Amino acid sequence: MNMADIIDLPISVNFLIIPLALGLLGVIFAWFMRSWIMKQPRGNQRMKELSNAIRTGAKAYLKKEYTYIAGISIIVFFAILVLKGSSDDWYAGLYTAIAFLIGALFSAGAGYFGMDIATQANSRTTEGARKSLNGGLKVAFRSGSVMGMSVVGLGLAGLTFVFFLLLFVPGQIGDDSDLELIRGATDMVAGFGFGASFIALFARVGGGIYTKAADVGADLVGKVEAGIPEDDPRNPATIADNVGDNVGDVAGMGADLYESYCGSILATAALGVAAASALFGGEDSGPGFHAAMRFLAAPMVLAGVGILFNFQPVVGNFSKIRIIYPGSKFRIGTWNEGYYNSSGRGGIKHTQNPY
């Protein structure tokens, strides 16, 4: 199928181009934010040494963890191929297995991008906070947005891309498109969600175990044996503790959020296709097919609109961050305004959704 064939597809199919483009835009925005953070000063030499030590440890852990996960993922890939192929058909088995690998790869990528920016932004946040409250919070908030946009961007683009793989199989969608094709697609795309969950399980549990082991070890060595405060730089185990925070609470959480995000979209899309089947019964072509495609694309389009409306709060200024009075908690007006602004505009746009 060439580009001309795609352009000639039914308009309900072309709706999937919208979330694909918005998902890629989210990834580009995350890269733009990362580039901005990398231009910020890292601080003095001691801060750089500590930051480099934490980053080296986190990268070493993830490299070893992902190496083992990759081997297990290949085994699961062939298991899905054989079991699904023998029970259903080999095309369905191959497509589900490929969707599994793509979901696993993107989930691991979301976690890694989060760990990467966290270890790059730690000393830069400290250096910014030495100058002003606004400076430190701006670096910290925008570094968090890198993983956030990576999760939703990769999730939405990955889901849409996996579904688009069907369109490039000759004869799959054409003049005689039917509802049964869409039902089968939702079953096979479920492999994408399984891949994301598969990585999230290992990343969250494995990283969490490492985090707790390093945390308890650092406390035992520091506070119990040496009698020094927690997170004291004189305690070598503090580095391991911070490495654990990055691989468990950042990389593991990133993969976990990715799995939850994709799972919610997949579940809604599957319910939409089921609703179209119930509404149109045996009408496999024509209205039934177009309704199923619209219901399938609707949650992806809405998720893409959410990505678009969150750009402005991330790049907004932090001039309204202020201290209420000395010793009190600070109120972050920009965050609240950004949340209300993006939520309000997104809600209005959703009511105008053509689906």
Side-chain angles (χ1 to χ4, degrees):
M1 177 178 290
N2 54 38
M3 186 58 65
D5 295 328
I6 297 176
I7 295 175
D8 291 336
L9 289 173
I11 186 64
S12 55
V13 178
N14 279 325
F15 277 138
L16 286 174
I17 296 176
I18 299 174
L20 177 61
L22 291 175
L24 293 176
L25 190 61
V27 175
I28 294 172
F29 183 83
W31 184 259
F32 172 77
M33 284 291 100
R34 183 186 186 278
S35 300
W36 180 88
I37 292 169
M38 295 299 293
K39 295 177 182 177
Q40 306 309 305
R42 296 185 62 192
N44 57 42
Q45 187 60 33
R46 183 58 173 163
M47 292 163 61
K48 294 178 182 178
E49 291 175 358
L50 294 174
S51 177
N52 290 337
I54 295 170
R55 179 173 173 80
T56 300
K59 290 180 68 176
Y61 175 87
L62 281 188
K63 180 180 179 181
K64 180 64 68 173
E65 181 183 52
Y66 283 177
T67 299
Y68 285 115
I69 294 177
I72 300 174
S73 298
I74 296 300
I75 297 175
V76 176
F77 170 85
F78 285 106
I80 294 174
L81 176 62
V82 173
L83 295 176
K84 180 74 172 177
S86 59
S87 62
D88 194 350
D89 64 76
W90 289 106
Y91 168 75
L94 178 61
Y95 186 85
T96 305
I98 293 175
F100 166 82
L101 281 187
I102 296 176
L105 179 63
F106 280 26
S107 180
Y112 182 84
F113 293 153
M115 181 281 299
D116 174 74
I117 195 60
T119 55
Q120 293 283 9
N122 49 20
S123 63
R124 291 175 169 86
T125 301
T126 304
E127 179 64 17
R130 293 174 65 186
K131 300 175 181 177
S132 68
L133 175 64
N134 287 344
L137 282 173
K138 183 180 291 187
V139 176
F141 186 75
R142 290 185 175 181
S143 65
S145 73
V146 172
M147 187 180 79
M149 286 297 175
S150 297
V151 168
V152 297
L154 288 174
L156 189 58
L159 271 175
T160 314
F161 171 74
V162 167
F163 189 81
F164 259 120
L165 289 180
L166 272 176
L167 307 183
F168 288 93
V169 177
Q172 287 300 309
I173 293 183
D175 296 333
D176 55 348
S177 302
D178 55 41
L179 190 54
E180 189 61 35
L181 171 65
I182 310 303
R183 297 193 194 102
T186 55
D187 291 340
M188 291 182 283
V189 173
F192 183 91
F194 177 46
S197 300
F198 187 78
I199 298 299
L201 171 65
F202 285 96
R204 194 72 170 128
V205 175
I209 292 174
Y210 179 91
T211 300
K212 283 304 173 186
D215 189 14
V216 173
D219 290 343
L220 289 175
V221 172
K223 292 190 288 187
V224 178
E225 296 183 7
I228 57 179
E230 185 177 4
D231 294 334
D232 193 294
R234 293 172 296 174
N235 181 4
T238 299
I239 298 297
D241 188 9
N242 281 273
V243 169
D245 290 338
N246 281 280
V247 299
D249 297 336
V250 179
M253 178 63 75
D256 196 10
L257 290 173
Y258 183 90
E259 177 270 333
S260 300
Y261 180 78
C262 294
S264 62
I265 295 177
L266 276 173
T268 308
L271 287 174
V273 174
S277 299
L279 288 173
F280 291 91
E283 295 183 41
D284 282 344
S285 60
F289 170 77
H290 290 288
M293 283 301 307
R294 288 172 182 267
F295 292 164
L296 179 72
M300 301 180 192
V301 172
L302 296 184
V305 171
I307 293 176
L308 187 63
F309 284 159
N310 275 280
F311 290 164
Q312 188 274 331
V314 172
V315 299
N317 68 74
F318 283 71
S319 60
K320 296 183 180 180
I321 299 176
R322 51 196 178 272
I323 303 296
I324 299 177
Y325 57 87
S328 72
K329 295 181 179 180
F330 57 82
R331 183 174 61 183
I332 307 176
T334 299
W335 286 4
N336 291 333
E337 290 180 10
Y339 172 76
Y340 297 140
N341 187 14
S342 60
S343 299
R345 288 188 298 163
I348 293 173
K349 189 64 178 178
H350 291 175
T351 61
Q352 301 171 347
N353 193 290
Y355 299 97

